[in-house]
Amino acid sequence: IKPDDLARYNEVYVFVSHEHEDHYDPVIYTWEEYAPVTYIIADDMPRTARGRRMSPGSEMILSDNVKVQAFGSTDAGVSYLVELDGVRFFHAGDLNYWHWRDVSTVREIAMADEDFRKEVAPIIGQEIDWCFFPVDPRMGMHFDAGVNYFMMTVKPRVLCPMHFWGRGDIITEFARRARTNDTEILPLTIQGQAASLVMED
């Protein structure tokens, strides 16, 4: 984030899903020097983290045109559904079907599957225009099982894979073969890439 990018805005909202270093950097608190920032953080964040705390199932109205709901995770923290001017964005945080088939037992895999389906259940039926969801090749075989289930049940309009640890080649191939009639997959795999969402009546 560049200071000039923030200074253009009258309101800035920063969401922190959990404390893992690939999702949270205390540098966010320096952004207050450049713009008015509201921080929304998971309830289980360390007490040293500042912000309005949310737990799964909670809702918050941030302004006349911004509201947020928190959902669960299969790791630390929460996932967020943010509505801005009627457009609904979902950020999964670390909500995923985390299974490590090379090292996990059959029972551990079954429990991970059950936990994931339980956390996704309250999200089914929510209208989601743009979704950010983990697609992590480190899990090996069936690394995309979680995102495929999410697309099948929740049906977001656009899905951006994240958490892929620089493996843009795998994510580009995933996007090519996994898109559905309900969900377009947008693989932003190069730093600095951007995309726009155009809503039609």
Side-chain angles (χ1 to χ4, degrees):
I1 297 289
K2 298 177 182 177
D4 289 347
D5 293 335
L6 294 174
R8 296 181 296 162
Y9 299 101
N10 296 323
E11 296 176 283
V12 176
Y13 299 99
V14 175
F15 295 86
V16 181
S17 60
H18 61 290
E19 66 175 310
H20 294 169
E21 62 181 13
D22 56 327
H23 289 258
Y24 169 62
D25 187 333
V27 73
I28 62 175
Y29 296 115
T30 67
W31 298 347
E32 293 172 300
E33 300 174 29
Y34 311 105
V37 181
T38 300
Y39 300 95
I40 300 92
I41 67 176
D43 189 55
D44 62 357
M45 290 283 291
R47 291 298 149 186
T48 52
R50 290 188 289 111
R52 300 177 66 177
R53 294 176 179 264
M54 297 190 73
S55 56
S58 62
E59 300 183 18
M60 191 178 292
I61 296 175
L62 299 174
S63 70
D64 290 341
N65 62 337
V66 181
K67 61 182 180 181
V68 58
Q69 296 173 258
F71 291 91
S73 175
T74 45
D75 200 342
V78 297
S79 50
Y80 293 111
L81 178 60
V82 181
E83 184 171 338
L84 169 63
D85 288 332
V87 182
R88 295 162 66 85
F89 300 87
F90 182 78
H91 193 288
D94 262 356
L95 170 64
N96 196 8
Y97 172 25
W98 296 112
H99 59 290
W100 310 91
R101 290 180 178 263
D102 294 339
V103 295
S104 299
T105 65
V106 171
R107 183 173 181 274
E108 288 170 338
I109 293 171
M111 290 176 61
D113 180 73
E114 182 180 345
D115 289 345
F116 176 62
R117 292 171 187 264
K118 181 184 73 175
E119 297 297 348
V120 171
I123 308 168
I124 297 173
Q126 296 285 344
E127 185 176 325
I128 296 175
D129 297 300
W130 199 301
C131 172
F132 299 88
F133 200 92
V135 185
D136 194 329
R138 297 177 305 166
M139 290 191 290
M141 186 174 61
H142 304 308
F143 71 94
D144 55 354
V147 68
N148 285 330
Y149 178 80
F150 191 86
M151 287 194 298
M152 180 178 66
T153 56
V154 180
K155 304 183 189 304
R157 291 180 59 192
V158 177
L159 185 138
C160 286
M162 62 175 189
H163 216 286
F164 50 87
W165 299 96
R167 293 304 308 271
D169 55 331
I170 292 177
I171 296 308
T172 299
E173 172 59 19
F174 163 75
R176 185 193 66 78
R177 63 175 172 75
R179 59 174 45 97
T180 71
N181 291 333
D182 297 304
T183 302
E184 179 64 32
I185 303 174
L186 188 61
L188 301 178
T189 59
I190 301 172
Q191 187 171 357
Q193 275 186 304
S196 298
L197 178 65
V198 177
M199 301 296 292
E200 298 179 353
D201 293 333

